[in-house]
Amino acid sequence: MIPLERRDFIYRYLHEHRTVSIRTLVELLNVSHMTVRRDIGILEEEGKVISIPGGIQLNDALRQELPWSDKAFIYHHHKREIGKYSASLVEDGQVVYLDAGTTTFEIAQVLAERFNLTIVTNDFSIAQYLMDKPQLSLFHTGGQVDKRNYSCVGNSAAMVLRTLNVDIAFISTSSWDLEHGISTPHEEKVLVKQAVLEIARRKILVSDSSKYGKYGMFHVCLLSNLNDIVCDGQLPMPVQQKLHDLSLKLHIVTV
């Protein structure tokens, strides 16, 4: 691997395993300790990782999201179960918004077999998957194209959403916690998510537990702006208790 490929590998690995030892990286990459430490130093300068005794972990202050194609394979089993459960919350005849993301893609795969639904999305992968499902009505927001995440973002997409009435919205995120709420490292995503929060009757955050405890530079909303959160059982129990104390419903999915 060239240096950039090694650093991308390390960053992807951390998204799945949360922490990693230097010894493990040396074995996985088949390079010297000095090479690994040099790569870690660059990742630290970029604000992506933090050194811990014997290894590294992700920086809670998220600087950059992984591309869609990489995120799709991380915690896939968790996302699939969250997707199945979330789809069960949808009632016949509803207008459903699916935010761009790999967990919402799992919801789309289940809803694809349903009838009498209207799906609205800013995600090209979801739109393409549902394209050949004639029993569903399908709307795409259009707007500025985010090539890394196969979606549309920015003010144009937000303006389209504000012309709609949505019954139930499934909102994705790369980072959320009790203090910061939902956040993102990418400013252009904020307008779309905030527009959905304005127009949807029921607002549901769908996220596996690996996203909890991270925060991006740009604030989207507090968790109290949501109606529901769907997550897996690896979410820490103290966090689950605090979420139950808020005026929202927490759904914990067994994986």
Side-chain angles (χ1 to χ4, degrees):
M1 294 183 185
I2 63 174
L4 181 59
E5 290 175 328
R6 289 198 307 270
R7 293 193 292 273
D8 283 345
F9 174 86
I10 293 170
Y11 196 51
R12 291 197 307 272
Y13 189 92
L14 281 174
H15 274 80
E16 186 167 3
H17 296 88
R18 303 192 184 192
T19 63
V20 62
S21 69
I22 292 174
R23 177 180 296 179
T24 297
L25 289 176
V26 168
E27 295 173 354
L28 290 172
L29 295 168
N30 193 28
V31 294
S32 67
H33 278 76
M34 183 178 297
T35 298
V36 167
R37 290 187 181 279
R38 186 162 53 244
D39 288 336
I40 288 172
I42 294 173
L43 291 170
E44 282 189 299
E45 289 176 3
E46 294 173 346
K48 294 179 179 178
V49 307
I50 297 174
S51 289
I52 58 176
I56 54 172
Q57 67 181 26
L58 278 179
N59 188 348
D60 288 342
L62 194 64
R63 306 298 186 194
Q64 179 182 324
E65 296 181 34
L66 292 174
W68 197 101
S69 55
D70 289 338
K71 290 190 291 186
F73 298 103
I74 297 175
Y75 290 96
H76 179 248
H77 179 66
H78 295 68
K79 293 174 182 178
R80 186 173 64 243
E81 296 305 315
I82 290 171
K84 290 178 183 178
Y85 181 88
S86 298
S88 72
L89 302 176
V90 175
E91 300 175 6
D92 288 345
Q94 287 191 318
V95 177
V96 182
Y97 176 76
L98 297 177
D99 202 8
T102 53
T103 303
T104 47
F105 184 80
E106 298 294 331
I107 302 174
Q109 291 185 84
V110 181
L111 295 183
E113 306 307 317
R114 297 276 295 272
F115 292 81
N116 192 27
L117 293 176
T118 298
I119 308 297
V120 181
T121 187
N122 65 329
D123 189 300
F124 287 113
S125 297
I126 291 173
Q128 183 178 27
Y129 186 84
L130 298 178
M131 195 76 71
D132 63 347
K133 305 297 179 181
Q135 80 278 15
L136 298 176
S137 295
L138 179 63
F139 287 80
H140 194 281
T141 63
Q144 176 188 345
V145 176
D146 179 351
K147 295 179 182 179
R148 283 176 60 87
N149 287 293
Y150 305 160
S151 64
C152 282
V153 295
N155 189 54
S156 296
M159 288 175 64
V160 170
L161 286 169
R162 289 194 176 94
T163 68
L164 306 177
N165 293 310
V166 170
D167 295 305
I168 183 168
F170 294 100
I171 300 167
S172 64
T173 186
S174 57
S175 50
W176 64 286
D177 64 14
L178 285 159
E179 179 182 356
H180 303 92
I182 297 175
S183 58
T184 173
H186 302 296
E187 183 179 13
E188 61 273 14
K189 291 187 176 185
V190 174
L191 290 175
V192 175
K193 294 182 187 296
Q194 289 182 341
V196 172
L197 291 165
E198 291 175 17
I199 56 100
R201 290 175 51 222
R202 186 177 183 185
K203 300 166 281 287
I204 304 176
L205 173 65
V206 289
S207 171
D208 65 82
S209 56
S210 71
K211 312 288 181 56
Y212 183 81
K214 299 181 177 66
Y215 61 93
M217 177 177 176
F218 299 98
H219 174 76
V220 175
C221 72
L222 297 175
L223 299 183
S224 57
N225 291 114
L226 304 167
N227 300 110
D228 306 72
I229 295 175
V230 182
C231 192
D232 59 78
Q234 292 184 18
L235 190 67
M237 285 304 300
V239 175
Q240 291 188 36
Q241 184 56 56
K242 290 179 180 178
L243 289 173
H244 282 302
D245 293 339
L246 297 177
S247 57
L248 55 77
K249 185 170 184 180
L250 176 63
H251 308 259
I252 294 297
V253 178
T254 301
V255 294

